[in-house]
Structure formats: C-alpha cells, structure tokens
Amino acid sequence: MCSAVQNQDFTLIDDYTTGLKALLYLQSLDLPQGWNGQSPPTPKHQKGKPVPRVNELVGKHLPNFGPYKAVREEALSSQYIKDSPSSATDQLSPIRPPNKPRRTTPTVQDMIGKALPMIGSYNSLDNTKQVVALIDEDLCINCGKCYMACNDSGYQAITFDPQTHLPNVTDDCTGCTLCVSVCPIIDCITMVPKTIPHKIKRGILTNPDADIKTTVMLSQ
C-alpha cells in the first residue's frame, strides 16, 4: 500500500474502493464455480494491439528508442500486416443474455471479519515457496522505473543495460513486487515461482580482509 501510494497518490484509495464495490457486485451474479475474483488471463497486448515476440522476429530483444525502435517498428509492422487484428480469433463473444443479479449484493458490513478464519501462525507458512520478478522485454518501454525502485528502495536485484536500457532481474530478487507496483505497463512484470535455492548473498563478504584493505586504500 505504501509503495503504491508513493508511485501514484492518494487517489489510489478511490481505485481500491471502486474495485471492491465491483467485486461485491460480482458476487451477486451466477459466475463460474471456483472463480476467485481475479480477472482471467489476457493475451499479451499494448493499447489493445497484440504484441508479437520481437526476439522471434529479429533474433534479439530491442528497446523502444533510437535506431533500435526503427528496426523494432519495421519488424512489428510487417507482422501486423500478416496477422490482421480484425480476425475472428481476436474478437470477444458477447454474453447473451447479459448476467443479471441472482441474489442481494453483499454490503461492507457483511465483509467485516470475513478474513479472520484465514489468519494463521507464521509457522504455518511455507518459506520454501518463493517468487521472483520476470520482465517481458517485448512489453518493456525502457523507462527504468523498475531499476530505480529496486535500487533505491528494494534489494538491488535489477541491472540496467546502459546502451539498450533493457532491465534484467538477477538471482538476488526476493519477490517483494516493488518493481511491479511502479511499472507503467500492464503485465510487463509478473511474479513467477523461483526455481533456484532461495539464498540471498548480498552484503556477505567473500574475502573480508581484501575488502577492508581496498576500503583503506580508497580512503587514503
């Protein structure tokens, strides 16, 4: 919450309120069994247009500026001509007849204390299940917000190529999701299960004597 307000402002509270009202209303409809209130997965897109994988078109990832952008847009333009956005597979089927409320919409009072049965002890958590950030370079606009947020307020787990401005998540990622909260592109950064042992080595000196000697020389 704090990081999200820092990135946006306190109008974020209005967004949360609107979302919660919509969620309560949806509970009055006959929705698919097992629905957990989350939006279904969406195809990869920007501004309503499908986003092809640039790496598969030109053989490497390209940023969104300078000469890279020209090559990128030319490759994407050719692909858009081949894949017509008006094709039948891209069209959503309308729900007919539209959903109608089948029960009374829950009130805020009904929701108070709803989460209490789910509160458990810390020992009941499985600390072996870790997630890390995954950046989609096709959607990345090279703004550097994830890099700045991670290095200023996170765990310094994102590097930033000075030439291509492409960010890269290192093995030091702890899954704090700060980068997700500041990214301006929907679905550009997702959290995925960590497949390597969760051992953070930042700040641990591999050779303390050598590091101390270097520090002394620099101070002199």
Side-chain angles (χ1 to χ4, degrees), residues 131-135 137 144-161 166-180 189-191 194 196 198-203:
V131 294
V132 293
L134 177 65
I135 300 176
E137 294 183 341
K145 283 189 174 183
C146 59
Y147 167 75
M148 291 186 286
C150 187
N151 280 269
D152 291 344
S153 307
Y155 293 86
Q156 297 81 50
I158 295 180
T159 60
F160 198 63
D161 191 298
L166 290 173
N168 177 64
V169 181
T170 70
D171 292 343
D172 284 336
C173 179
T174 64
C176 73
T177 73
L178 183 59
C179 57
V180 179
I189 303 179
T190 53
M191 305 307 296
K194 192 169 188 175
I196 61 175
H198 190 67
K199 295 181 179 179
I200 306 301
K201 301 182 291 298
R202 293 174 298 99

Side-chain angles (χ1 to χ4, degrees), residues 25 29-31 94-102:
Y25 167 72
L29 306 177
D30 286 335
L31 296 171
I95 299 175
R96 295 290 185 270
N99 289 320
K100 294 182 179 181
R102 304 294 183 184

